[in-house]
Amino acid sequence: KLKMKNIKPFGPSIGKTKISKKFSDKLNNEFDSKSNSKKIDYSSKLASQIKNELKISNKFIKKYLDKELKKNIIKFLSGERIKKIKEIKILNLWVVRQFKGEYNPIHYHEGDLSGVGYLKLPKNMTNNKMLKNKKIKTNGTIDFISGQKAFLSKSIYNVVPKIKDLIIFPNYLMHTAYPFNIEGERRSFSFNAKIVFKKK
């Protein structure tokens, strides 16, 4: 059974878990079958410096992705002692394909909670040919940014993605996906969700 780990690197909490094989296979297949048609490119609506992005239809989300996403959101929120949830609405979900040199600048999302999950990653993505001995490997990774650096308080939390990782975070938490400089595809999905609470 996969555990949800709630991480509190600074103010806002971040949840980290895994998506199922079924979930990633469904989403990969949907993306592959649709990504050849230009009319559903989503990149113009997003902040990224990335060519290939695809919005997934609400019908598809409801049928194949909704249940697992909501289950993980509930796990994350209950770890934050938030229980009085009336409803979780998945507002949107899109798949992002990132290739050599492409990146996603610092941005935040809409909704209450957002998430990012990883479907495909290039081998040795974090390697940097130019800086062989560098300890800090940011290539292809994601940084979450909150506040400013102060004594005993970090402002950046770096995550090196692994395939099937799912990271859940509050929508306002700024983040950025770095470019990498090897061949290969880094494929991820992002979603936004609205939380409706029970009236007191």
Side-chain angles (χ1 to χ4, degrees):
K1 211 165 146 46
L2 293 165
K3 287 207 308 285
M4 168 68 66
K5 194 170 154 203
N6 285 35
I7 306 156
K8 267 192 187 303
F10 34 61
S13 292
I14 292 174
K16 200 168 173 219
T17 185
K18 293 272 185 201
I19 51 168
S20 65
K21 185 178 184 314
K22 195 175 141 196
F23 186 103
S24 67
D25 288 350
K26 274 275 175 232
L27 198 44
N28 272 325
N29 294 340
E30 174 70 357
F31 182 82
D32 289 333
S33 70
K34 292 259 164 60
S35 67
N36 304 328
S37 114
K38 257 285 152 266
K39 62 180 183 298
I40 37 189
D41 186 43
Y42 199 47
S43 44
S44 59
K45 311 259 191 310
L46 300 168
S48 64
Q49 302 297 316
I50 289 173
K51 263 208 221 61
N52 206 315
E53 305 190 323
L54 173 81
K55 191 176 193 299
I56 302 298
S57 76
N58 289 338
K59 207 169 109 185
F60 186 90
I61 297 170
K62 273 213 166 35
K63 194 167 174 188
Y64 299 112
L65 311 176
D66 213 68
K67 219 166 116 184
E68 187 170 328
L69 288 176
K70 287 176 178 176
K71 205 171 72 187
N72 281 317
I73 289 169
I74 288 164
K75 260 196 236 172
F76 171 59
L77 290 176
S78 73
E80 295 299 309
R81 301 187 170 50
I82 294 172
K83 297 229 170 30
K84 292 188 160 59
I85 302 161
K86 184 176 157 188
E87 190 193 352
I88 297 165
K89 295 178 185 165
I90 306 298
L91 300 176
N92 45 20
L93 184 145
W94 62 100
V95 176
V96 179
R97 255 178 135 167
Q98 196 181 332
F99 294 100
K100 189 176 174 176
E102 295 185 321
Y103 64 95
N104 219 331
I106 295 174
H107 65 286
Y108 47 82
H109 288 216
E110 57 173 338
D112 297 311
L113 276 184
S114 298
V116 59
Y118 296 92
L119 300 166
K120 284 183 183 185
L121 296 168
K123 221 178 160 65
N124 306 323
M125 174 180 72
T126 56
N127 288 1
N128 193 332
K129 290 194 197 88
M130 296 175 292
L131 308 165
K132 284 232 163 27
N133 320 325
K134 255 304 208 218
K135 287 260 188 303
I136 304 163
K137 292 182 164 18
T138 52
N139 278 8
T141 66
I142 185 169
D143 264 353
F144 291 93
I145 304 124
S146 177
Q148 61 226 343
K149 187 178 169 4
F151 179 54
L152 300 183
S153 168
K154 286 194 177 104
S155 62
I156 295 172
Y157 178 62
N158 177 258
V159 178
V160 178
K162 292 190 168 57
I163 288 175
K164 298 223 290 270
D165 273 357
L166 175 66
I167 303 163
I168 298 173
F169 50 94
N171 74 296
Y172 57 79
L173 185 57
M174 289 180 292
H175 53 287
T176 180
Y178 288 107
F180 51 90
N181 55 14
I182 60 166
E183 297 305 323
E185 177 188 356
R186 177 192 191 273
R187 185 184 293 189
S188 61
F189 68 90
S190 296
F191 70 86
N192 294 317
K194 189 108 196 91
I195 314 297
V196 183
F197 294 99
K198 288 175 184 151
K199 297 259 190 300
K200 284 206 172 85

